[in-house]
Amino acid sequence: MMNRRIRRLGFAFGGLLLATIVWVRLFPTAPEPQPTHPTQAANPTAAAGTPGDATSPLRPSPDVGSPSSAGAGFEESGGEGTNDPNIRTYAVSTFDLQGLPPDATGGTLLEVWVAWEPPIVDSPRYQKLLPEVRLEKVVPGLTPDAPATALLQVKVKELADLLYADRWGQLSVAALP
């Protein structure tokens, strides 16, 4: 006769195995996405194109430097709704973003500062975090009492610094002339 403890462990393992099998049967993995364009379905090698081609599903990495994108800044970006792969939109509540002018409109250039406090630093200090970001637009709050949200266009290489500062510091902005 089997020990009672071993029998319980066997039933528990069997129940877990049964639950796993039922889960896999009820919720299968998503199928691979199929191409919707008829020429892509007929000839997948021709449809792949070259990386960076407009019809190609493969996009070049934004980290790969090219002569045309090496100095890409906000002056070359198309302003609101830009498709520049080196720019990301970051949303910050205007309640948390000190110094934003009340009449700021889309396209305003801003300088981002951060105030660090202990325990991040030994004593409180201010630091210029980003020399230039572009205000995409200010989205009003959902209710009259809710603060608005500022959408900032930030360069990809500066995004990590902004994320860290937003989490651990107090952000402020100053409008550039």
Side-chain angles (χ1 to χ4, degrees):
M1 187 133 213
M2 282 184 140
N3 186 354
R4 181 183 283 180
R5 184 175 181 189
I6 293 174
R7 210 175 328 151
R8 285 183 185 165
L9 284 173
F11 282 127
F13 178 72
L16 183 63
L17 183 64
L18 181 65
T20 303
I21 291 171
V22 169
W23 181 269
V24 169
R25 296 279 181 173
L26 289 178
F27 305 107
T29 59
E32 293 290 324
Q34 299 297 320
T36 56
H37 197 272
T39 60
Q40 288 179 344
N43 192 0
T45 57
T50 59
D53 185 18
T55 61
S56 173
L58 300 173
R59 295 282 175 203
S61 172
D63 295 332
V64 176
S66 66
S68 63
S69 68
F74 293 109
E75 293 78 21
E76 294 146 6
S77 66
E80 187 173 339
T82 182
N83 290 330
D84 187 356
N86 296 321
I87 303 294
R88 300 290 186 265
T89 300
Y90 187 76
V92 181
S93 170
T94 55
F95 181 76
D96 296 332
L97 192 62
Q98 305 299 317
L100 184 67
D103 61 343
T105 59
T108 304
L109 290 177
L110 303 169
E111 199 174 55
V112 179
W113 290 74
V114 63
W116 301 109
E117 294 186 11
I120 303 298
V121 291
D122 294 332
S123 63
R125 68 181 180 109
Y126 293 95
Q127 174 187 0
K128 184 192 293 188
L129 185 67
L130 305 175
E132 184 180 281
V133 297
R134 184 178 298 275
L135 178 67
E136 184 175 326
K137 64 181 172 179
V138 177
V139 180
L142 295 175
T143 62
D145 296 335
T149 301
L151 300 179
L152 304 175
Q153 292 180 342
V154 182
K155 296 175 186 168
V156 171
K157 64 182 179 182
E158 298 171 337
L159 189 59
D161 294 336
L162 181 60
L163 289 167
Y164 187 83
D166 190 23
R167 172 79 168 116
W168 299 106
Q170 179 65 37
L171 295 177
S172 298
V173 293
L176 294 173

